[in-house]
Amino acid sequence: EELADPSLEMYSFVCMLQKPAQGGNLRIWDTHYDTSDCDREQEFTPADHPEVAMAEVVYKPGDLWMFEGMRAHQITAFGGDDDR
């Protein structure tokens, strides 16, 4: 019920604890997940929406990013032997 209530504010927090050997950036798109059908799994496929602006954030350990919780976002693929 909370996801469908437009009067509520939701936020997501992303904090890097340890930098991977490669990748691991935060991508945020200028669009929101559709909350009209909260019972189904939501998935935003960037290739299906090339018109939507995207920002890629390069951040470092200790950085904390806060943004609207229903904004489309992802962590890019990362590599290395360190625990994540």
Side-chain angles (χ1 to χ4, degrees), residues 5-84:
D5 185 345
S7 69
L8 296 179
E9 294 182 21
M10 294 176 271
Y11 297 94
S12 290
F13 297 86
V14 174
C15 180
M16 180 181 286
L17 301 177
Q18 181 171 298
K19 183 143 182 78
Q22 61 193 85
N25 295 332
L26 170 63
R27 289 184 179 161
I28 302 176
W29 281 267
D30 190 19
T31 190
H32 294 83
Y33 292 106
D34 178 11
T35 60
S36 63
D37 184 3
C38 296
D39 291 333
R40 65 181 178 84
E41 182 74 20
Q42 296 284 321
E43 185 172 329
F44 175 77
T45 307
D48 293 341
H49 302 280
E51 75 286 358
V52 177
M54 182 269 296
E56 186 162 331
V57 179
V58 179
Y59 58 123
K60 61 186 182 308
D63 287 351
L64 175 66
W65 286 87
M66 179 181 96
F67 49 91
E68 298 167 286
M70 296 307 290
R71 184 167 296 279
H73 62 281
Q74 74 176 171
I75 303 298
T76 62
F78 51 85
D81 294 330
D82 294 335
D83 290 336
R84 293 288 299 156

